[in-house]
Amino acid sequence: MGDVSDGTGDPNGPEAGGLTAVLAEAGAGARPRPETRSPYRAMPDADRSALWRRRLHEAEAGLTRYLVSRGDELHLTDWFALQSEIFADLPGPGAPAAEWQRVFFRGQALMERFLVARYGEEVLAAWARSNAEVHREVEPDYGRGAADPIHRIARQAELYGSDYEFDDDPAPSAERAALTITHCAIWDYREQARRSGVRITLASPCTYCTEALSANIRAKGHRPSHRLHNGPTGHGCRWEACAPEAATTDESRES
């Protein structure tokens, strides 16, 4: 089960209520981007749209799954109203990726607000794990082992226009792969959204993002680790995924 473009992408490469702000495209007033990038810099617009749709599906289906798992009474009129807001005025076939970006940002903000208002910020980790179970089924396996979830993080970073690079030493492999986001453009979006009047639920996007990415890596059978940083290039992070056997070997060497 997946949401891919019409076959124009490389199967081994890019992905085959209230106000909403959309990030500016590179070259349209956006911050200059470095020359050394991943191969996803040239991701076709159709593949970008497909990844926005898949992420929206993972989040909404994951929220449905999480709410059912709680077993407590849910006011269905509130739930149906939320779904109607999430899926309001969906773009038509062939709409540019920016339109699906808008829908995803709106949906993510609505779902965060819905959960935090009812259960508190502490439930976001459980929602992330529930989303990851959906991710396990809908995100294709490309046969690259630990490099697969790191490539997914790279594709997501590309959607936002973040600056990132794969670690060269060691190079991404089936046993271990790592990626460094030197400038996270999600922070840029949040400030742009705040200035546009969008109500921001979380003090930091890392609160949910780190839980979600870690859960996705685990759902695909790999061990995640990450490190946040904030420096001259702005907010960023480093992510690593490794096969369980590789993690066991490292631990035995350290002991």
Side-chain angles (χ1 to χ4, degrees):
M1 180 179 180
D3 184 10
V4 296
S5 63
D6 297 330
T8 57
D10 179 357
N12 295 315
E15 176 96 354
L19 299 172
T20 303
V22 178
L23 287 173
E25 296 181 0
R31 194 173 46 80
R33 305 173 74 183
E35 291 298 323
T36 304
R37 294 295 306 274
S38 89
Y40 300 109
R41 182 172 57 179
M43 188 190 302
D45 194 71
D47 289 341
R48 294 173 185 269
S49 295
L51 184 52
W52 284 121
R53 290 194 296 271
R54 180 173 298 160
R55 295 187 65 204
L56 179 63
H57 173 51
E58 291 173 355
E60 191 277 337
L63 179 55
T64 301
R65 185 180 182 277
Y66 171 70
L67 293 172
V68 171
S69 73
R70 288 187 62 91
D72 54 7
E73 183 178 353
L74 178 68
H75 294 287
L76 291 179
T77 51
D78 292 344
W79 174 232
F80 296 153
L82 174 69
Q83 289 180 309
S84 69
E85 288 186 83
I86 292 171
F87 297 120
D89 57 16
L90 290 179
E99 286 298 299
W100 286 103
Q101 178 194 53
R102 173 184 61 81
V103 172
F104 174 83
F105 282 157
R106 179 184 64 195
Q108 182 73 17
L110 288 167
M111 287 183 277
E112 286 179 1
R113 193 177 309 154
F114 182 88
L115 279 173
V116 172
R118 284 160 177 75
Y119 307 112
E121 196 170 300
E122 61 273 12
V123 305
L124 293 179
W127 178 37
R129 291 192 294 270
S130 183
N131 294 354
E133 291 303 310
V134 180
H135 171 82
R136 187 203 310 274
E137 302 300 327
V138 303
E139 173 70 9
D141 290 324
Y142 295 103
R144 295 173 295 201
D148 269 357
I150 295 299
H151 275 267
R152 166 64 186 255
I153 294 174
R155 295 199 302 275
Q156 290 187 192
E158 182 61 44
L159 290 182
Y160 291 101
S162 296
D163 297 335
Y164 62 98
E165 57 188 8
F166 290 102
D167 284 16
D168 294 327
D169 187 21
S173 69
E175 290 73 35
R176 187 185 306 276
L179 174 88
T180 298
I181 297 177
T182 56
H183 179 91
C184 177
I186 297 176
W187 285 85
D188 300 337
Y189 157 72
R190 284 167 58 86
E191 289 310 306
Q192 178 181 325
R194 195 190 310 276
R195 290 192 296 269
S196 300
V198 177
R199 186 172 64 179
I200 304 298
T201 302
L202 304 178
S204 164
C206 306
T207 302
Y208 174 77
C209 189
T210 55
E211 295 285 358
L213 295 182
S214 296
N216 282 355
I217 293 172
R218 291 191 189 96
K220 286 297 186 176
H222 306 290
R223 179 174 174 174
S225 63
H226 73 275
R227 182 176 66 251
L228 302 178
H229 58 82
N230 185 17
T233 59
H235 295 276
C237 52
R238 182 183 184 276
W239 285 89
E240 183 173 302
C242 61
E245 55 270 21
T248 301
T249 300
D250 288 347
E251 289 170 356
S252 64
R253 288 173 180 170
E254 294 173 359
S255 61

